[in-house]
Amino acid sequence: DAGVIQSPRHEVTEMGQEVTLRCKPISGHDYLFWYRQTMMRGLELLIYFNNNVPIDDSGMPEDRFSAKMPNASFSTLKIQPSEPRDSAVYFCASSFYSSGQGYTFGSGTRLTVV
Amino acid sequence: AQSVTQLGSHVSVSEGALVLLRCNYSSSVPPYLFWYVQYPNQGLQLLLKYTTGATLVKGINGFEAEFKKSETSFHLTKPSAHMSDAAEYFCAVKGSARQLTFGSGTQLTVLP
């Protein structure tokens, strides 16, 4: 398995533009998580899905952020409009429920909003 | 409820010295515990995990951790630090919640 695949690896965009981050989880995993990592706030859970259904989006900072999982092999995190304070590394992770295996993380997308 | 506290946001050790990174947890049910490592510009990678059974667990790169229920701790150790161990380390707990709760991380610096 190629692991959790995120794209793009780096994204630089101008304030006000729409940004879409993409994630392909490991085949067969039934949970998918989106995290944001910054120096100031550390690792923050934004939202997670179980069997493609959003379970908890309480970590999504505001309405400018949205996430979808149209099928078991694909998820997107969208920011519209983007702001400089959204600059961070965004990670996607997937797992089996209660398998005790923990999460497998992608390599992340480094987002810079100028 | 579940939570994790990592004591020390930065730890420095000399090459060859013992590495000890501290993690205390809180969980209302018997927990699963994890240590992850993050190298610069990379995602988090699982180092080791405790689910049930033997309380001393061994992971990759010579790291190990011991689950101590009485102390609610899961400290990470390595007998002899190597320069390549320099990274950020995260402790995580899974208790009654569906998701893991991560600690704030400990940056390990290895001095030559």
Side-chain angles (χ1 to χ4, degrees):
Chain A
D1 200 314
V4 176
I5 300 172
Q6 292 187 246
S7 64
R9 286 298 308 275
H10 302 274
E11 177 80 39
V12 180
T13 190
E14 291 185 347
M15 182 174 62
Q17 296 299 305
E18 177 181 296
V19 176
T20 299
L21 312 181
R22 297 172 175 79
C23 175
K24 176 179 169 57
I26 290 177
S27 177
H29 280 188
D30 55 354
Y31 274 78
L32 184 139
F33 305 84
W34 281 101
Y35 282 87
R36 178 171 69 175
Q37 187 178 39
T38 61
M39 289 291 291
M40 292 297 295
R41 302 173 70 95
L43 198 61
E44 301 175 274
L45 176 63
L46 300 178
I47 185 172
Y48 72 94
F49 296 83
N50 176 217
N51 292 324
N52 314 337
V53 176
I55 302 300
D56 184 352
D57 66 354
S58 60
M60 297 285 261
E62 47 197 279
D63 292 345
R64 298 184 297 106
F65 285 69
S66 62
K68 295 181 179 179
M69 192 166 185
N71 57 62
S73 59
F74 184 65
S75 177
T76 59
L77 178 67
K78 184 178 295 185
I79 308 172
Q80 166 63 18
S82 58
E83 297 183 2
R85 60 193 168 116
D86 302 330
S87 297
V89 181
Y90 291 81
F91 289 104
C92 176
S94 69
S95 77
F96 285 118
Y97 173 58
S98 71
S99 68
Q101 297 304 309
Y103 299 171
T104 301
F105 281 80
S107 299
T109 294
R110 181 174 296 276
L111 174 64
T112 304
V113 183
V114 297
Chain B
Q2 58 191 44
S3 66
V4 172
T5 302
Q6 290 185 240
L7 299 175
S9 58
H10 291 84
V11 170
S12 293
V13 300
S14 297
E15 191 173 20
L18 171 71
V19 175
L20 171 60
L21 305 183
R22 299 178 187 275
C23 173
N24 287 90
Y25 71 91
S26 172
S27 175
S28 57
V29 301
Y32 292 165
L33 294 159
F34 306 84
W35 275 100
Y36 284 83
V37 61
Q38 184 180 29
Y39 299 103
N41 301 314
Q42 296 186 25
L44 279 70
Q45 177 184 357
L46 183 65
L47 256 186
L48 51 78
K49 64 181 188 289
Y50 168 79
T51 53
T52 58
T55 56
L56 181 63
V57 293
K58 296 184 185 298
I60 60 173
N61 302 336
F63 284 93
E64 61 184 34
E66 187 170 11
F67 169 61
K68 292 187 176 180
K69 182 179 178 181
S70 61
E71 299 178 8
T72 61
S73 68
F74 191 58
H75 301 331
L76 182 70
T77 60
K78 182 174 180 178
S80 176
H82 192 273
M83 297 296 290
S84 61
D85 295 328
E88 188 156 22
Y89 292 80
F90 293 89
C91 182
V93 62
K94 183 181 182 302
S96 56
R98 293 196 193 192
Q99 73 273 24
L100 298 186
T101 297
F102 285 86
S104 55
T106 297
Q107 183 68 45
L108 176 66
T109 300
V110 182
L111 305 170

